[in-house]
Amino acid sequence: MKTTKVTSSHWGAFEVTVKDGRIVGTAPFGPDPDPSPIAEIIPKAVYHKTRVARPSIRKGWLEGRDKDRCGGAEFVELPWDEALDIAAEEIGRVRREHGNGAIFGGSYGWSSAGRFHHAQSQVHRFLNSVGGYVSSYGNYSFAAAMAIMPHVIGMNFRQYAYGYQNSWATIRDNTETLVMFGGINPKNSQVSMGGISRHETKGWCEAFAEKGMRLINIGPQRGDAPPGSEWMPVRPGSDTALMLALAYVLENEGLADHAHLARFATGYDRFRPYLMGDSDGVPKTPEWAAELTGADATAIRNLARHMAKTRTLITVAFALQRGQHGEQPYWMAAVLAAMLGQIGLPGGGVGYGYGALGGVGVSIRAVPGLALPQGDNPIKDFIPVARIADALLHPGEPYDFNGRNAPYPDIRLVYWAGGNPFHHHQDLNRFEEAWRRPETVIVNEPYWTATAKRADIVFPATTPYEREDIGRSFLDPFLFHMPPLIEPEADARDDYDIFADLATRLGKGELFSEGRSSEDWLRHLYSQFRQITAADDIPTPDYDELKEKNWVELPIWGDEHAVTPFDKFREDPDAHPMQTPSGKLEIFSETIASFDYDDCPGHPVWIPPCEWLGAADPAAPLHMVSPQPGDKLHSQMESAIADEPDARPVRLEIHPVDATARKINDGEVVRVKNHRGSCLARASFNDGVLKGVVALPTGAWLADGDGDDPHGNPNVLTHDIGTSRLGQGTSAHTAMVEVETL
Ligand SMILES: Nc1nc2c(c(=O)[nH]1)N[C@H]1C(S)=C(S)[C@@H](COP(=O)(O)OP(=O)(O)OC[C@H]3O[C@@H](n4cnc5c(=O)[nH]c(N)nc54)[C@H](O)[C@@H]3O)O[C@H]1N2
Ligand SMILES: Nc1nc2c(c(=O)[nH]1)N[C@H]1C(S)=C(S)[C@@H](COP(=O)(O)OP(=O)(O)OC[C@H]3O[C@@H](n4cnc5c(=O)[nH]c(N)nc54)[C@H](O)[C@@H]3O)O[C@H]1N2
Ligand SMILES: [Mo]
C-alpha cells in the first residue's frame, strides 16, 4: 500500500509518500515556486536511532535526586504510568513546598508547525491548569528590537515587522536603492514560523535586480544578500558607526531633511551635537567610521549622497540586534531614514527582518484563530528569555530590563517542551553549570537532543507525521489538514496526551482537557476559525472537507500595495500620530533617558562591543558570527543530517588569507576556541567572508563530555550577556575566537 499526502512545516509544505506504514520519500509541494530541500531528510530522521523510545528517567535523579545533568548520564526506561506518576508527584511536591513561582515553563523553542500540537502552547496550558509558571518574555530572534522599537516608532515590533512594512511589490515599484544591513538572506527565507507554502523571496529579489534597483549589502558576508548585490564589507558589531557616518554626511552636506525632522521626529537637536562631535569632541565622519568598520570613507560618503538622491529603503537583518548594544543599529537606522525624509513614502523609510523569514514582505489579509487557548497564568513573574542562565545562577538577584528592576525568580523545577536550549543558548559551558541548579528538569522530546540528555525525566513525543493536526500561518494563505501519516514510533505519545495525563494526576484533568480528545480539539478550534472566516466572507471548507482535500488556498492574498508604513502619519502627523510619548519618531527618548542606562542612553550612540575586531585580543583575533544553518531549521533533525558523509563537524566559513596564515587547508578539521570553550569545525575557504571574520552556523547538538565539542556547536564559544539593560536580548554575535590546526 502506497499513499502520498501533503503536510506542512516551518520550512514549507511538502508531499510525503508512505509505503506499508513507513515514510519512504518526500517531494516538493506543487504550488511552491522555490521549495526548500529541508524535508528531504525526513524519511531518515523519523526513524533515526536517536528517537526517544520510552519514558526515561535519569538514574542519578531517580535513585538519589542528584543534579549531575551531563550528556553521558545513564537513564532508566519506565512504563508510561510509572513515569507519569513520578513526574506528577514531583510537580506536586514543588508546588506544595515552593509554590508555582518556582516552576519555570518558558520553554522557548520553535517545536513544530501544526496549530494544535504546538508543544510550547501545550506546556503553557498544562502549567496554567496546575497553578501557573514563571514565563519568559521575548525571543532569541529579535528581543532587543522588541524593547527598543516601541520607544522609537510607537509600535509593537512584531506587528511592525510582520504586518506593517513595505510589501515586496511596493519595494519593486518604488524603491531605487535598497540598503541592506546584514543582507536579505536567501537561505533564511526558506523558513517562516507556522508554515510557508510559496517561497517567493528569491523571485522578488530577481525582480529587483532586473528592474535595475541598486542593491547594497552591508555586512561581513557577501552571501547574506541575493546575487546581483554590491557588497560593502563591514566588521560585525560596527554597523551603528557606519550609520552615524552616513548621517554625518547628510547633515554636513546639507542633505538632511530638516523640515521632515522638525515635523515628524523629536530630539534631533539633542542628537545633532553628538553626531557632529560638539558634545564629545568626536565628529562621526566617514574617516572615523572607516577606522571602526573597515569600510572605505569615500564609499561611505558616496553612499550617503546616493541615498539622499534616490528613494531608499534601509533594511536591517535581525542578526544585527543579536549582539551587544543590538538596540543601537535598529534605532539609528530609523533615525537615518528620518534624516532622509523618507518615512511614510512607499518603498522608502526603514524595514526590519526581510529575508529573515519567508513571510516578511508578503501581503496577506490578517485572519486570527487556530491557536490553542493557554488559559490564565496567575504567576506574573517572568525573565527576559535569554537571561535563563543568569536566572538559574542568581536567584533573588535584581536585574534591569526596559525600565523595570526585579529579582530573578528562585527556580526549582524546569519543564521544557519544543525547544533545545543546549543548542540555542549562549556560552553552553556556563549554561550547563546553571542547568545543575534546579532540583528537577522535565523534557518532552522526540529526540535525544543535548537538552533531553541533560534532563531528569524525558517523555518521548511524537513528530508531526505521527498525529493529526491543522497547518496554517498568519503570513500564508494556505490551510492544511496535516494527516497522521504513520503510527507513533515506539512508545511516543502526543504532548497533549502526556499533559492531559499529568493534569489528571494533579487533579486538574478536566480543566486542562475540557473533556476533549485531540480530534475534538481540532474540530473545536477549526469550527471557531470557520466562524471568523465566515464573518469575513472567506469561503472555508468544513473540517471533513478539508480532511478530504488535504489543503486549500484561502482567497486572502492582500492588496499588494495595501500598506505603506506611516503614510497617514506623513499626511497628517497630528491626526495620525505615532504612538510614542511625543507622537513622533523619537530620535531622543525621554523615557529611555530616564532609565539612566549607560549601555543605552537617550539617543542612538556608538558604543564598541566588549568583543570585536576593533579591540582584537591576540588569543582570540577572529570575530565569529553564528548564523542560521542553510540546510535545516535550527537543530531539528540534526542527528540524521549529521550522519551524512563529512557533515560534521559543521563547516566554518573562513577567508583563505586567514586560513593560510594558520596553515589550514580547505576542508581540514580545525579547532575553534576562546576562553569560554572550544569545538571542532571543518574549514571551508570563502573569499566572500570579510578577512578577520569566521562564520560557524548554529544547529549542532552539543556532544557529551568535556573538551572540544566534536560537532561544531558555536554556542560553546558565544558570550552570554544581555544586549543592554534595556533589551536583555542575546548577544550571540559578539564573540572573538582563534582557529587552529589540530
Ligand atoms: N549562536 C547563536 N545561537 C542562536 C542563534 C544565533 O543566531 N546564534 N539564533 C537563536 C534563534 S533566533 C533561535 S529562534 C533559536 C532556535 O532554537 P530552538 O527553537 O530551541 O531550536 P529548534 O532546533 O527549532 O528546537 C526545537 C526542538 O523542538 C523539538 N520538537 C519538534 N516538534 C516537537 C513536538 O511536537 N513536541 C516536542 N515536545 N518537541 C518537538 C525538536 O526536536 C527540537 O529539539 O536559536 C537561537 N540561538
Ligand atoms: N534555513 C534556515 N532559515 C532560517 C532559520 C533556520 O534555522 N534555518 N531560522 C529562522 C529564525 S528563528 C530567525 S530568527 C531568522 C534569523 O534571520 P537573520 O538574523 O537575518 O539571520 P542570521 O543567519 O542569523 O544572520 C544573517 C547574517 O547576518 C550577518 N551578521 C552577523 N552579525 C552582523 C553584524 O553585526 N552586522 C551585519 N551587518 N551583519 C551581521 C551574518 O553574516 C549572518 O550571515 O532566520 C530564520 N530562517
Ligand atoms: Mo529565531
Side-chain angles (χ1 to χ4, degrees):
M1 245 289 272
K2 198 166 149 179
T3 54
T4 297
K5 292 262 189 187
V6 170
T7 193
S8 176
S9 73
H10 295 303
W11 53 87
F14 54 96
E15 291 179 359
V16 185
T17 299
V18 176
K19 191 165 173 252
D20 301 330
R22 239 185 123 78
I23 295 177
V24 291
T26 64
F29 177 54
D32 191 340
D34 183 24
S36 161
I38 292 176
E40 288 167 16
I41 197 74
I42 281 166
K44 283 186 187 156
V46 167
Y47 305 105
H48 200 267
K49 59 178 186 292
T50 53
R51 285 291 300 266
V52 181
R54 272 164 283 283
S56 301
I57 302 193
R58 196 169 53 78
K59 199 158 178 262
W61 183 89
L62 189 63
E63 291 173 356
R65 290 293 188 271
D66 81 27
K67 300 175 175 187
D68 193 16
R69 300 182 184 103
C70 58
E74 195 182 331
F75 279 81
V76 182
E77 290 186 345
L78 290 177
W80 270 106
D81 272 347
E82 263 177 66
L84 287 164
D85 284 346
I86 293 170
E89 211 164 285
E90 179 61 4
I91 295 168
R93 179 193 70 80
V94 171
R95 289 174 62 205
R96 263 191 326 275
E97 289 178 12
H98 307 285
N100 282 65
I103 299 178
F104 181 67
S107 192
Y108 183 78
W110 268 54
S111 58
S112 46
R115 292 299 78 204
F116 173 67
H117 294 288
H118 181 245
Q120 205 187 76
S121 308
Q122 293 284 353
V123 68
H124 291 168
R125 182 176 170 86
F126 162 67
L127 290 173
N128 284 338
S129 72
V130 300
Y133 63 97
V134 174
S135 56
S136 56
Y137 180 83
N139 54 37
Y140 281 73
S141 312
F142 47 67
M146 283 170 78
I148 189 81
M149 292 321 289
H151 293 295
V152 178
I153 57 168
M155 269 193 86
N156 171 298
F157 180 72
R158 201 187 295 266
Q159 276 169 4
Y160 185 69
Y162 296 152
Y164 195 59
Q165 304 204 79
N166 281 289
S167 66
W168 293 121
T170 302
I171 298 172
R172 176 199 56 205
D173 296 343
N174 298 280
T175 307
E176 294 166 294
T177 309
L178 187 61
V179 180
M180 304 170 284
F181 285 91
I184 287 186
N185 213 304
K187 76 169 166 54
N188 289 357
S189 58
Q190 289 178 86
V191 164
S192 205
M193 75 253 144
I196 167 165
S197 315
R198 296 181 53 85
H199 291 86
E200 297 190 329
T201 308
K202 188 170 156 223
W204 284 112
C205 291
E206 284 165 5
F208 300 164
E210 241 165 68
K211 198 198 139 190
M213 193 185 298
R214 196 163 162 208
L215 307 169
I216 302 152
N217 168 26
I218 302 179
Q221 291 203 76
R222 183 165 56 210
D224 285 334
S229 308
E230 297 164 42
W231 182 32
M232 181 184 267
V234 297
R235 292 168 169 171
S238 74
D239 305 79
T240 307
L242 188 85
M243 293 176 187
L244 283 165
L246 294 168
Y248 179 92
V249 176
L250 297 180
E251 178 59 40
N252 194 45
E253 302 192 1
L255 300 170
D257 188 338
H258 287 277
H260 183 94
L261 287 170
R263 196 159 147 78
F264 300 106
T266 182
Y268 189 67
D269 56 327
R270 310 279 297 269
F271 170 69
R272 191 183 175 283
Y274 169 77
L275 181 66
M276 304 315 285
D278 302 338
S279 60
D280 63 351
V282 184
K284 309 302 175 296
T285 61
E287 285 69 23
W288 168 82
E291 189 74 18
L292 298 171
T293 62
D296 175 68
T298 306
I300 298 173
R301 206 165 258 117
N302 288 339
L303 177 59
R305 292 171 187 155
H306 185 79
M307 288 166 78
K309 268 204 315 250
T310 51
R311 181 65 55 84
T312 296
L313 180 65
I314 301 165
T315 67
V316 193
F318 292 157
L320 272 83
Q321 51 83 69
R322 248 184 265 118
Q324 196 188 21
H325 312 129
E327 295 82 5
Q328 301 305 319
Y330 266 51
W331 194 352
M332 189 54 214
V335 171
L336 195 52
M339 290 178 72
L340 290 168
Q342 297 199 18
I343 302 276
L345 289 179
V350 63
Y352 300 99
Y354 287 98
L357 299 166
V360 174
V362 298
S363 316
I364 297 281
R365 266 165 71 188
V367 186
L370 281 177
L372 178 71
Q374 298 184 4
D376 295 321
N377 187 355
I379 305 295
K380 300 301 165 207
D381 204 1
F382 69 89
I383 57 165
V385 68
R387 301 278 49 82
I388 174 72
D390 288 350
L392 295 174
L393 288 168
H394 303 293
E397 276 184 32
Y399 68 97
D400 285 309
F401 173 55
N402 205 358
R404 164 190 193 259
N405 185 278
Y408 283 122
D410 188 358
I411 303 295
R412 305 299 176 109
L413 183 144
V414 172
Y415 206 132
W416 220 291
N420 188 4
F422 277 93
H423 141 260
H424 74 228
H425 193 62
Q426 284 56 65
D427 197 349
L428 289 176
N429 290 318
R430 176 176 187 257
F431 185 52
E432 195 161 50
E433 181 65 40
W435 193 249
R436 291 193 170 124
R437 298 297 172 95
E439 287 157 23
T440 302
V441 175
I442 311 178
V443 167
N444 293 7
E445 247 298 337
Y447 293 92
W448 281 108
T449 61
T451 303
K453 287 178 150 195
R454 288 164 178 79
D456 301 321
I457 303 177
V458 182
F459 289 124
T462 50
T463 66
Y465 321 104
E466 296 153 47
R467 61 199 184 208
E468 181 179 358
D469 212 334
I470 301 169
R472 160 162 164 76
S473 152
F474 64 98
L475 295 169
D476 190 271
F478 287 69
L479 180 63
F480 297 89
H481 176 258
M482 296 166 65
L485 295 158
I486 53 170
E487 290 297 314
E489 267 291 282
D491 282 358
R493 298 182 71 201
D494 299 347
D495 292 291
Y496 177 73
D497 296 327
I498 300 169
F499 290 128
D501 282 357
L502 286 174
T504 301
R505 281 169 168 74
L506 289 158
K508 301 289 177 190
E510 181 63 27
L511 187 64
F512 175 77
S513 72
E514 298 179 25
R516 295 191 182 96
S517 67
S518 290
E519 191 181 343
D520 297 338
W521 269 106
L522 287 167
R523 288 180 182 275
H524 170 68
L525 295 174
Y526 191 77
S527 75
Q528 288 182 330
F529 178 68
R530 275 188 91 217
Q531 284 169 17
I532 296 169
T533 56
D536 225 358
D537 281 333
I538 302 164
T540 312
D542 69 26
Y543 193 73
D544 290 308
E545 197 186 336
L546 179 69
K547 206 164 158 174
E548 172 67 32
K549 287 190 161 146
N550 198 176
W551 59 271
V552 294
E553 184 174 0
L554 299 175
I556 54 170
W557 285 108
D559 166 3
E560 283 196 327
H561 301 102
V563 179
T564 291
F566 302 117
D567 53 348
K568 295 253 167 14
F569 168 67
R570 189 182 180 95
E571 268 168 37
D572 187 346
D574 300 318
H576 306 283
M578 283 189 179
Q579 301 301 305
T580 54
S582 62
K584 299 177 177 190
L585 188 146
E586 304 226 333
I587 297 174
F588 187 92
S589 162
E590 296 288 355
T591 311
I592 294 176
S594 77
F595 299 156
D596 202 20
Y597 295 155
D598 51 356
D599 53 6
C600 189
H603 61 70
V605 289
W606 160 251
I607 314 173
C610 58
E611 293 184 26
W612 76 302
L613 284 166
D617 164 4
L622 299 169
H623 195 129
M624 181 189 75
V625 291
S626 44
Q628 313 294 323
D631 58 346
K632 59 187 185 139
L633 176 67
H634 311 139
S635 71
Q636 301 205 11
M637 303 183 289
E638 159 69 8
S639 47
I641 293 168
D643 279 349
E644 303 288 307
D646 292 340
R648 293 293 169 269
V650 174
R651 278 166 45 164
L652 173 90
E653 307 296 321
I654 184 167
H655 194 283
V657 168
D658 289 324
T660 42
R662 291 167 174 77
K663 303 196 164 42
I664 293 167
N665 297 311
D666 196 11
E668 186 177 340
V669 173
V670 293
R671 178 181 297 109
V672 191
K673 62 172 193 183
N674 63 19
H675 68 281
R676 289 179 288 269
S678 62
C679 69
L680 302 185
R682 191 178 300 276
S684 171
F685 284 19
N686 183 347
D687 65 5
V689 178
L690 178 64
K691 269 182 249 164
V693 175
V694 291
L696 184 62
T698 60
W701 290 353
L702 182 72
D704 304 344
D706 300 326
D708 303 331
D709 176 55
H711 301 155
N713 186 324
N715 278 323
V716 297
L717 301 154
T718 51
H719 199 174
D720 185 12
I721 47 166
T723 49
S724 78
R725 290 197 277 164
L726 189 96
Q728 293 289 14
T730 170
S731 294
H733 286 302
T734 302
M736 298 295 287
V737 300
E738 178 57 297
V739 181
E740 64 186 17
T741 52
L742 296 183

